[in-house]
Amino acid sequence: MTISHILILFIGLIDIATSSNAYNDFFDEELMLKPLSSDHVYAYFQFTVIWETENRVETLQHSHLFPRGLGEIIGRHNVDELHVTLTEGLWNYQKWGYPFHDAGPGAEVIAWFNKDITNIEKEWKGLTNALAGLLCASLNFVDTSNSMSPEFTFRLTSVTDRPVNSSHLRYSSLPREIVCTENLTPFKKLLPCDSKRGLATLLNSAHIHNTNYHSIGIHFRSICRNVACTMTSLELRQTVSLIYDTIVDANQDWSIRKFFGMGLKGACPLATLSNIYVDISDNNTNHIYELTPLPSTKVVSLRGGQQNEIAVYDIRAHSSKGIFNIAAVHSAPKNNAIHYPSILYANRYIIGYGQERGSLVTKLYNNHWQALDIILLENIPWYLLVYLHSITITCNEQQVHPLAQRYLPGRERKSPYYLELILRLPPHSVTKITIDMDYLFLKWQEYPPDANHGFYMGPAIITALLPIARNYTALPFDGSTITSSFNASRDDYLVQLRTESLLISLPTPDFSMPYNVICLACTAVALAFGPLHNISTKRLVLKRIEKDWKGKLFSFFVGKLFGAKKKQD
């Protein structure tokens, strides 16, 4: 090899080493740890991939950091925006504030399809079936009987050049879906470093599924690449939300090793940003603790009238010496907690008795000194017959009229009941919404194996714009990472709340009666049929038994022996 060839090769290697990212994609991994006043710790993982390309089918088939399996599903079904969550537990808005991403119990899927798609139902069915295989979840049970297109609740956050109406939106929930390791494993395989390096190594199923609340989510959309928004990029956020209970420990010390069963070995080599944030705003007030090791830096965030102090840990800098662990060691017993209640929260329950009819009650609590406009979405299954004329909305024993109302009656086995209300909640008030309904008697094939357990009803969704950011942690619309929420004051703050999932007992036939009848009938037939059949088909015949030579010889000796004894007697 000549000297010129060596120089050319050396210059080429330098160009490769110093060149920018040829794939134009970036990966960030972040973890936020936030101690709560209720003796819980909120742990929020976010893995973000930003790909500077257009949302086209050809592009999504050749990716670098973006998971190809998910990209092919998005491209094949012409999805502009996608949100999938799998959640176990109920988020307590009154004590824990508002999460980064709200999710109801069970499984939820929200999808916006391309404006040029004509057969939305076909693409929706194909999308949910593909996601069911990708995440090992029961999303294949999503169909038109439990899907709807809300008009006000959801808004497209992706970049679009034309207005989109709700006809291209589909929303569905499966409140009975159980989240387990089978869902977490394929979720981690979508990450660039899998679960071998980086923050994903902390996602140990043994230490995640025993928390008070855990939720995994996949969020895809298109975002602006520059200020003028002349070019767009693809954004994929994979999130994990966990609530750990520290009250079981007498001194309430906590650490990464205690929560996740192991320390952090290092950052993902493909990550541009790899940080851990600890919210120490309540230190020296509700808690008095010391973080070890000391953080790389501290950030003071002022957002919507709320000030937070954040300790920032650079994983690469701290993990260079070995396994990295963050611990909070309390130096004094906990003081009386100072709890600032959330501005808006809700709960829901069923009243009535029997299995024929009942009433659905939803209560909305406004703790703010101003009136709040909210959107209430009710997704009522088709087997609960709802009567629109029975809706009553009261506040302080006074009738309240909705500002707007959308209602579509459900059809048996085809579509759910869709009810959407826009209400104005007075300051410091409790608004009660009641609606009567009847319980439908299903066909016997439509009952699950555990029919007496009951049927689940998905949560209601409350959407509002809060004037202040008290207990608010969500990212701004134009932000992609947790750092974008620091000092991100806006005129208002969008929040979505999910109520409880309800367990309803429908009229259920006595499925044990056929079993008892079958057992009794089979027993009677078995006992009666056999003897009757033998008597009617067989006859008794006397048969002379002839002895062989052994029997004759034995009888001869027996006769001689006993005959001699009789003569002597």
Side-chain angles (χ1 to χ4, degrees):
M1 182 180 292
T2 62
I3 298 177
S4 60
H5 290 165
I6 295 175
L7 290 175
I8 293 173
L9 179 61
F10 181 72
I11 293 173
L13 292 175
I14 293 177
D15 291 338
I16 293 175
T18 58
S19 62
S20 60
N21 188 353
Y23 295 95
N24 295 325
D25 53 358
F26 310 94
F27 172 65
D28 298 326
E29 55 177 2
E30 298 170 293
L31 168 61
M32 168 66 81
L33 297 173
K34 182 178 181 180
L36 304 174
S37 59
S38 59
D39 298 329
H40 295 83
V41 176
Y42 177 29
Y44 173 73
F45 292 83
Q46 179 169 301
F47 307 93
T48 308
V49 174
I50 297 179
W51 189 5
E52 295 180 349
T53 185
E54 302 291 335
N55 187 2
R56 293 193 298 266
V57 179
E58 301 80 8
T59 305
L60 294 172
Q61 292 178 350
H62 305 280
S63 60
H64 177 227
L65 298 177
F66 198 95
R68 181 180 175 181
L70 180 62
E72 290 182 350
I73 294 174
I74 292 173
R76 184 186 307 119
H77 299 287
N78 300 283
V79 178
D80 285 345
E81 185 174 337
L82 176 66
H83 302 276
V84 183
T85 57
L86 299 171
T87 307
E88 185 72 22
L90 179 65
W91 185 272
N92 193 332
Y93 300 93
Q94 190 175 2
K95 294 182 179 180
W96 302 341
Y98 303 107
F100 281 88
H101 284 284
D102 184 63
E108 278 190 346
V109 184
I110 305 170
W112 288 87
F113 293 93
N114 192 275
K115 300 175 289 296
D116 299 328
I117 300 301
T118 56
N119 193 348
I120 301 294
E121 298 300 336
K122 179 181 177 181
E123 299 295 339
W124 172 241
K125 186 62 178 177
L127 173 65
T128 53
N129 279 273
L131 291 174
L134 181 68
L135 298 175
C136 295
S138 302
L139 300 178
N140 54 304
F141 287 100
V142 173
D143 53 19
T144 56
S145 65
N146 51 26
S147 303
M148 60 172 54
S149 302
E151 185 175 348
F152 303 122
T153 299
F154 302 109
R155 280 290 174 263
L156 182 68
T157 60
S158 290
V159 178
T160 180
D161 55 350
R162 289 178 291 175
V164 181
N165 55 31
S166 60
S167 63
H168 291 80
L169 166 67
R170 290 296 181 273
Y171 162 74
S172 181
S173 65
L174 299 175
R176 196 174 183 176
E177 181 69 13
I178 303 298
V179 186
C180 60
T181 308
E182 295 178 353
N183 310 120
L184 183 63
T185 301
F187 174 85
K188 292 189 291 186
K189 289 184 178 180
L190 299 177
L191 298 173
C193 290
D194 202 336
S195 58
K196 300 177 177 62
R197 298 293 299 273
L199 289 174
T201 58
L202 301 179
L203 299 179
N204 186 359
S205 60
H207 295 270
I208 287 180
H209 297 308
N210 60 355
T211 55
N212 291 27
Y213 172 92
H214 61 271
S215 174
I216 61 177
I218 297 176
H219 310 276
F220 167 79
R221 64 172 182 168
S222 298
I223 60 175
C224 294
R225 195 183 308 180
N226 49 28
V227 178
C229 204
T230 56
M231 296 182 293
T232 60
S233 301
L234 302 181
E235 177 196 86
L236 175 65
R237 283 185 286 182
Q238 294 181 240
T239 62
V240 180
S241 298
L242 307 169
I243 292 291
Y244 287 93
D245 190 354
T246 60
I247 199 172
V248 295
D249 194 348
N251 52 15
Q252 297 185 1
D253 294 341
W254 55 266
S255 65
I256 289 181
R257 188 187 301 274
K258 185 176 180 180
F259 285 158
F260 306 105
M262 61 182 298
L264 192 60
K265 297 180 181 179
C268 174
L270 300 175
T272 306
L273 176 68
S274 186
N275 285 345
I276 297 178
Y277 312 99
V278 182
D279 192 338
I280 56 176
S281 304
D282 63 344
N283 197 8
N284 298 322
T285 55
N286 295 344
H287 304 267
I288 301 177
Y289 58 87
E290 181 180 355
L291 291 177
T292 56
L294 296 177
S296 305
T297 183
K298 292 183 180 180
V299 177
V300 177
S301 173
L302 182 60
R303 186 183 189 188
Q306 176 171 294
Q307 181 173 324
N308 296 88
E309 187 176 1
I310 310 296
V312 182
Y313 290 86
D314 187 353
I315 297 178
R316 286 190 174 89
H318 285 82
S319 61
S320 58
K321 300 179 182 179
I323 296 179
F324 173 47
N325 180 42
I326 299 176
V329 181
H330 289 75
S331 57
K334 177 186 173 182
N335 301 328
N336 293 328
I338 301 176
H339 176 65
Y340 299 98
S342 300
I343 295 177
L344 177 68
Y345 61 95
N347 63 355
R348 188 169 63 156
Y349 53 90
I350 292 287
I351 60 175
Y353 57 90
Q355 294 184 336
E356 297 180 2
R357 60 185 59 89
S359 297
L360 178 65
V361 180
T362 304
K363 286 187 176 181
L364 306 174
Y365 298 84
N366 178 16
N367 290 329
H368 196 48
W369 57 272
Q370 290 181 343
L372 293 179
D373 293 339
I374 64 99
I375 302 173
L376 173 65
L377 172 64
E378 289 283 3
N379 182 8
I380 303 175
W382 56 266
Y383 45 78
L384 299 177
L385 305 180
V386 174
Y387 301 102
L388 183 63
H389 71 277
S390 65
I391 296 180
T392 57
I393 307 174
T394 58
C395 180
N396 298 328
E397 299 182 355
Q398 294 182 356
Q399 195 77 13
V400 177
H401 298 282
L403 303 179
Q405 176 178 294
R406 295 292 183 271
Y407 173 76
L408 285 177
R411 293 184 297 171
E412 291 186 7
R413 300 169 183 86
K414 291 185 178 180
S415 62
Y417 287 85
Y418 159 58
L419 176 63
E420 207 166 12
L421 302 173
I422 299 181
L423 302 172
R424 178 162 294 168
L425 307 182
H428 297 290
S429 65
V430 179
T431 303
K432 181 179 179 181
I433 304 169
T434 306
I435 182 170
D436 297 337
M437 56 187 180
D438 288 345
Y439 302 153
L440 189 65
F441 196 87
L442 305 179
K443 298 178 181 179
W444 70 272
Q445 303 99 326
E446 295 173 340
Y447 287 91
D450 52 345
N452 290 288
H453 178 74
F455 290 78
Y456 284 90
M457 178 180 176
I461 302 178
I462 296 97
T463 307
L465 291 174
L466 302 182
I468 60 175
R470 181 197 299 172
N471 301 334
Y472 188 79
T473 57
L475 305 184
F477 280 117
D478 54 351
S480 300
T481 59
I482 296 179
T483 55
S484 62
S485 64
F486 300 158
N487 297 302
S489 294
R490 300 291 188 271
D491 295 334
D492 43 43
Y493 305 91
L494 179 67
V495 66
Q496 279 193 342
L497 291 75
R498 264 76 171 177
T499 62
E500 300 88 346
S501 294
L502 301 179
L503 184 61
I504 301 173
S505 296
L506 296 183
T508 306
D510 185 9
F511 285 105
S512 63
M513 183 191 66
Y515 173 77
N516 297 333
V517 171
I518 291 173
C519 291
L520 180 61
C522 292
T523 304
V525 170
L527 294 177
F529 178 78
L532 291 176
H533 181 269
N534 291 335
I535 293 173
S536 60
T537 58
K538 296 181 180 180
R539 59 181 179 177
L540 299 176
V541 178
L542 296 177
K543 183 178 180 181
R544 184 179 180 85
I545 301 176
E546 296 183 357
K547 300 179 181 179
D548 55 358
W549 66 272
K550 294 181 180 179
K552 292 179 180 180
L553 182 61
F554 179 75
S555 300
F556 175 76
F557 284 110
V558 171
K560 289 292 184 180
L561 179 62
F562 285 97
K565 289 184 178 181
K566 288 181 180 180
K567 289 181 180 181
Q568 292 177 1
D569 295 339

